[in-house]
């Protein structure tokens, strides 16, 4: 008897549009992508929402009466051990789910994930990885915000976390790793980046391509971009804001000058596709790497399509054995590159 | 007898397109903007270039046989006391120029400026200010790359440097200052940002508007954005790269889908204006603040128009008494917010 694949545990109560859009996303994931999903949250509300899709028989519900609100952070996750995200993590930990997906507040999901799943053996600090919309395949940015203050040795670990992500989900061998700093020469950067450059350069098992700068974020020059969570978060949000601004200004300018019905122009399939690719709210989401289990953090404003993408990413990472790959990689880090 | 206004000392040998485009820029500045300019560099070459514009009588040349190449940094500025940028700084220092403009390598200009002009009394670290293309007026980002490792007290100074820039050049009273970090709550950020938040909040003479995030860079939410030079440089380059990428992808997508002659569309005046406003190579340039004199660093790839804009910015800052305003502002910083 072939065993059923494990389901994605989907936090139905996290996100700006929870629970209705989360439930709709679960229905999409099950019906269009063929992924098994369990919804975690308040049974009455979820049953009603599933009924509207005629999906009560397809998607099981796991009870969690409490939840973290979008403006709650790390402390709330300690106070509410039975929140929907905590219960989702619990399912993963006891082997009843393949991965967790939540569109809840990043701080809350990170804190709960770390508390309930714990860091993998050998991982100093779990980190957030985000896929930047480069072609032909995404570039993985690590850390996008989990660790504001880090040591150089942690950046070596982030490089391995990102490389494992690439190997598990993108079918790229020996991912090239770049260090985000302020000049291409090895000695350019702050103290952290300079020391990290030395460590990365002498790290076995890493294809280190050297320093990259802010304007390389979207050029696809490397497969993995390593940085601390402070810089990474600012770079990511700057990129998102700048792309949004450029499109917005363009649309406004065309509207004002009555050059063309640019609104109409943007409806064309290829332009819509471009716009969606560059829209941060449309992709799968951030991944919390380095835990004993895969946790995908969907954008807080995700609607059904974004939730389904996040489930797909979570399933792909779980199938690609991301946790095993991370474990193998951090196991190869030599003593000289560790903090202990 | 009314005294002549002092000229801008223009480093004619710095920049990817030096000296021809620099000379052409000087001619534009003199003829179109009515700004007095002196060219600093190799007399024979410059005389010939000026002759092509029939401008030898309008623009004086100051001799400097040596120069810093674009890939030379801080050390070269020590080795070449008679480089064109060093001589330009010398003119400013002895009162024969109102300001210095150079399109040379940022590292070389910063090092030479600091060495020849020295930091103003009370300024801990000169910093680079860049005008971001927000509307209705630019937002000033400080530090955009001069200081990779800083102390929180320096960020308070950067706030005053940026505020003085706004007051001297933009006619905005009581500029609003934002701290670039990774969340709007005061406790969000790395150790540097958290301590800087406390200091900025308790700084007299600053209109501190709190934390801002990466996606606020182009929203015009504040007049001055304060950050360390590492983060600021990455944010700036990420913004430039993202805007360029968005426009590039858009153009490619439209070309491929044959929706419209988008190339033609971009020729329309308003779109061209937008593109130019968002193009980093088109604006005036970065300003090195906190020295005994105004130094504008034009983009290395500047052509004549960019050089003329840089001269205009330099003249506006000098007329606005930026050095005096910086001195007054840093003089008001209380002892508790200083490093000594």
């Amino acid at each position: 008897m072939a065993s059923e694949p494990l389901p994605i545990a989907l936090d139905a109560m996290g996100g700006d549009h929870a629970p209705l859009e989360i439930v709709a996303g679960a229905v999409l994931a099950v019906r269009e992508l063929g992924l098994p999903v369990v919804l975690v949250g308040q049974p009455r509300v979820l049953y009603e929402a599933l009924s509207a899709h005629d999906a009560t028989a397809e998607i099981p519900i796991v009870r969690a009466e409490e939840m973290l609100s979008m403006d709650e952070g790390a402390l709330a996750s300690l106070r509410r051990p039975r929140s929907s995200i905590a219960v989702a993590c619990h399912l993963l930990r006891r082997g009843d789910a393949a991965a967790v997906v939540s569109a809840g507040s990043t701080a809350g999901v990170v804190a709960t994930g770390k508390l309930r799943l714990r860091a993998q053996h050998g991982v100093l600090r779990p980190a957030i990885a985000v896929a930047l919309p480069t072609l032909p395949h995404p570039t993985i940015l690590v850390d996008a915000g989990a660790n504001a203050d880090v040591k150089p040795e942690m950046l070596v670990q982030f490089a391995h976390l990102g490389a494992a992500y690439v190997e598990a989900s993108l079918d790229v061998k020996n991912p090239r790793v770049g260090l985000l700093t302020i000049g291409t020469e090895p000695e350019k950067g702050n103290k952290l980046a300079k020391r990290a450059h030395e460590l990365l350069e002498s790290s076995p098992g890493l294809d280190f391509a050297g320093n990259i700068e802010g304007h390389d974020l979207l050029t696809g020059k490397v497969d993995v971009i390593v940085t601390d969570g402070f810089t990474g978060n600012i770079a990511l949000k700057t990129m998102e804001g700048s792309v949004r601004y450029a499109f917005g200004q363009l649309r406004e300018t065309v509207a004002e000058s009555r050059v063309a019905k640019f609104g109409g122009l943007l409806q064309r399939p290829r332009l819509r596709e471009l716009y969606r690719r560059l829209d941060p709210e449309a992709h799968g989401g951030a991944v919390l790497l380095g835990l004993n289990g895969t946790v995908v953090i969907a954008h807080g404003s995700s609607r059904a399509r974004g939730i389904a993408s996040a489930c797909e990413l979570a399933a792909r990472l779980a199938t690609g054995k991301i946790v095993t790959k991370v474990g193998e990689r951090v196991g190869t880090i030599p003593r000289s590159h560790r903090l202990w």
Side-chain angles (χ1 to χ4, degrees), chain A:
Chain A
M1 204 176 82
S3 66
E4 292 279 307
L6 287 172
I8 306 294
L10 177 55
D11 169 11
M13 313 309 285
D16 300 339
H17 306 294
L20 293 189
E21 290 287 327
I22 314 293
V23 171
V27 172
L28 274 184
V30 169
R31 291 183 182 164
E32 288 192 11
L33 309 174
L35 297 171
V37 173
V38 279
L39 284 167
V40 183
Q42 294 168 351
R44 207 146 25 151
V45 181
L46 297 181
Y47 190 85
E48 206 172 300
L50 277 174
S51 300
H53 293 278
D54 218 359
T56 51
E58 291 160 78
I59 304 179
I61 294 168
V62 171
R63 179 195 192 89
E65 289 295 345
E66 294 190 80
M67 58 190 182
L68 302 186
S69 72
M70 290 307 282
D71 54 5
E72 282 181 315
L75 282 175
S77 80
L78 277 171
R79 286 194 305 260
R80 299 221 197 86
R82 294 289 305 165
S83 69
S84 51
I85 174 66
V87 172
C89 288
H90 188 64
L91 290 177
L92 175 54
R93 194 172 154 198
R94 74 175 191 211
D96 289 337
V100 166
V101 170
S102 175
S105 86
T106 302
V109 177
V110 170
T112 308
K114 282 160 86 167
L115 190 67
R116 304 291 154 197
L117 295 169
R118 300 282 168 192
Q120 286 185 247
H121 178 73
V123 170
L124 293 164
R125 296 277 193 96
I128 292 176
V130 166
L132 305 179
T134 47
L135 293 176
H137 63 75
T139 301
I140 306 304
L141 175 76
V142 191
D143 174 17
N147 306 284
D149 292 290
V150 306
K151 302 254 182 271
E153 288 78 7
M154 293 172 188
L155 293 185
V156 174
Q157 292 220 331
F158 296 169
H160 282 294
L161 295 178
Y165 181 127
V166 169
E167 289 171 338
S169 74
L170 294 175
D171 202 29
V172 171
K173 299 272 169 250
N174 302 319
R176 287 165 61 82
V177 175
L179 173 68
L180 184 58
T181 177
I182 60 173
T184 46
E185 303 86 351
E187 75 284 3
K188 286 290 177 73
N190 55 12
K191 282 179 202 151
L192 172 69
K194 283 187 259 190
R195 178 65 184 139
H197 184 104
E198 293 172 357
L199 290 173
L200 286 165
E201 208 168 37
S202 57
S203 284
L206 274 184
D207 186 359
F208 181 51
N211 292 347
I212 65 151
E213 298 186 71
H215 42 57
D216 296 320
L217 240 69
L218 292 173
T219 56
K221 208 169 161 179
V222 293
D223 304 304
V224 176
I225 296 173
V226 174
T227 185
D228 64 277
F230 183 80
T231 309
N233 188 271
I234 286 175
L236 177 69
K237 286 183 178 159
T238 297
M239 183 207 85
E240 292 175 353
S242 302
V243 168
R244 201 178 299 144
Y245 182 80
F247 275 115
Q249 288 287 305
L250 190 68
R251 202 181 273 146
E252 216 172 86
T253 302
V254 176
E256 277 174 21
S257 60
R258 294 176 215 148
V259 165
K261 283 267 171 268
F262 197 67
L265 205 66
L266 270 188
Q267 299 309 313
R268 302 297 179 116
R270 289 196 64 111
L271 277 169
R272 206 165 40 204
E273 185 190 311
L274 168 69
Y275 190 73
R276 223 168 85 190
R277 181 161 65 81
L278 297 183
D279 179 11
E281 297 179 11
H283 8 108
V287 182
L288 185 53
L289 293 174
L291 297 178
N292 291 303
T294 304
V295 177
V296 172
I297 311 170
H299 213 282
S301 59
S302 295
R303 297 194 175 268
R305 181 64 54 190
I307 296 297
S309 303
C311 290
E312 191 180 20
L313 174 60
R316 198 161 66 239
L317 289 168
T319 308
K321 300 201 187 312
I322 175 86
V323 176
T324 310
K325 286 193 165 70
V326 166
E328 287 166 2
R329 280 187 159 272
V330 298
T332 68
I333 298 177
R335 188 168 283 275
S336 55
H337 289 53
R338 296 185 185 185
L339 271 177
W340 60 91

